[in-house]
Amino acid sequence: MRRDREKVEWRKLMWSNYGAPKWLFILYLALNRKLPTKDRMEKWGVISNLTCPLCQLEDEDIEHLFFSCKFTTGIWKKLLAWQEIQRTRG
Ligand SMILES: [Zn+2]
């Protein structure tokens, strides 16, 4: 009855995570690149200004929002330090 399906790399991040359901839902959307970031909303015709409202420097997409925005980079650093997590670049 059950088919063999390809396992996604992020499955352990979802299934061994004890975060709040709302956080897990947002994580799921982000991992599947379904977050309503400005680049996606522009494609839907909802908005026309793609500028990141946090830094006002670049267009907002998921890569910018989570990895290159100067504003969110500061937040990530504080969160990771609080959780004593050392981030390695790979
Ligand atoms: Zn930004």
Side-chain angles (χ1 to χ4, degrees):
M1 293 290 282
R2 296 180 66 187
R3 295 181 303 170
D4 288 330
R5 294 185 182 179
E6 184 178 334
K7 293 181 178 176
V8 291
E9 293 178 21
W10 45 262
R11 69 183 185 281
K12 289 182 183 174
L13 189 60
M14 285 295 299
W15 300 120
S16 61
N17 192 322
Y18 299 104
K22 183 176 181 179
W23 304 347
L24 292 174
F25 180 67
I26 292 171
L27 174 63
Y28 181 81
L29 291 177
L31 292 169
N32 286 288
R33 300 196 172 273
K34 300 289 185 190
L35 276 180
T37 50
K38 282 192 163 187
D39 64 323
R40 295 192 74 224
M41 290 193 287
E42 192 263 343
K43 288 177 186 169
W44 302 335
V46 176
I47 61 166
S48 59
N49 178 5
L50 297 179
T51 305
C52 174
L54 300 173
C55 68
Q56 305 283 335
L57 297 173
E58 296 179 38
D59 289 349
E60 180 191 292
D61 60 20
I62 198 163
E63 294 295 325
H64 173 76
L65 197 57
F66 285 96
F67 302 108
S68 66
C69 179
K70 294 189 183 310
F71 185 85
T72 57
T73 299
I75 294 172
W76 274 116
K77 284 181 182 174
K78 288 178 183 173
L79 281 171
L80 293 173
W82 172 52
Q83 291 296 306
E84 299 176 354
I85 296 172
Q86 301 232 343
R87 189 183 221 175
T88 57
R89 296 184 184 250

